[in-house]
Amino acid sequence: HVVLECLSPSERVAFILHDTFGVEFATIARVLDSSPAAVRKLASRARAKIGARLPDGPAADWEVVDAFLDAARGGDFARLLHLLAPDVVVTADPAAVATGTPARLEGRDAVAAMFDGAAKAALPVFVEGRAGAAWFHQGSARVAFDFTVHAGQVTGIVFRAAPEVLAAVARRRGGMPA
């Protein structure tokens, strides 16, 4: 609450509606009688102000993964770039490649472009005890996104669809099992 007080009323509305409730920028723009681009800037400014007032220290891996998923779903390309290490690499196991995922993708720009506006059906999970995400279809995990996080940035993502990996995927809420 104290941190939110550092925001202007418009920044608060944009930040809370978008980042907390997932409301589209176009809808928020109508509420604020503004443009979607201006609302996106308000939310970005709010994130920066809040980030500057949060305790020092690296974010937990699950926080980075969840921020990445949020940015991917919301089409927040700038935030994706911020969360990705410059030399990030995306790879896939043979089962995931068979489902159509790319075998390899390198670099922050390429990975951000792939995820920009995507991952809408991905849910937070644990993959072998690590914070990750998975795409579910009819209640079953079909592809797991196994993240490697270092110093608050995603350094690698492995798409995994091997049956033994998917069988062990466990839903999570934040850093705790769901």
Side-chain angles (χ1 to χ4, degrees):
H1 180 68
V2 172
V3 172
L4 287 177
E5 287 180 357
C6 74
L7 304 178
S8 72
S10 295
E11 288 170 338
R12 235 180 275 144
V13 169
F15 175 75
I16 290 172
L17 288 179
H18 181 266
D19 287 35
T20 304
F21 297 109
V23 177
E24 298 290 326
F25 287 121
T27 303
I28 300 168
R30 287 192 297 275
V31 170
L32 294 176
D33 194 26
S34 187
S35 71
V39 170
R40 186 181 303 268
K41 286 182 183 179
L42 285 169
S44 178
R45 218 175 304 137
R47 271 186 229 104
K49 286 181 179 180
I50 288 172
R53 297 190 73 158
L54 291 176
D56 289 336
D61 289 357
W62 70 265
E63 292 173 309
V64 175
V65 170
D66 288 358
F68 178 87
L69 291 173
D70 181 54
R73 289 182 193 119
D76 191 341
F77 190 76
R79 191 168 174 210
L80 284 171
L81 289 174
H82 176 74
L83 292 165
L84 292 166
D87 57 349
V88 63
V89 176
V90 173
T91 58
D93 68 16
V97 171
T99 67
T101 61
R104 187 172 183 87
L105 196 59
E106 296 181 34
R108 176 187 284 166
D109 291 334
V111 174
M114 177 184 162
F115 279 96
D116 190 27
K120 293 190 187 315
L123 300 173
V125 300
F126 288 113
V127 181
E128 296 179 347
R130 291 178 303 281
W135 174 68
F136 282 79
H137 181 68
Q138 296 182 344
S140 298
R142 301 297 184 193
V143 177
F145 310 151
D146 192 354
F147 285 77
T148 302
V149 177
H150 180 72
Q153 288 189 308
V154 176
T155 59
I157 304 171
V158 180
F159 291 105
R160 300 178 70 189
E164 64 275 8
V165 172
L166 297 178
V169 163
R171 295 280 311 272
R172 67 178 173 83
R173 183 177 313 272
M176 303 298 293

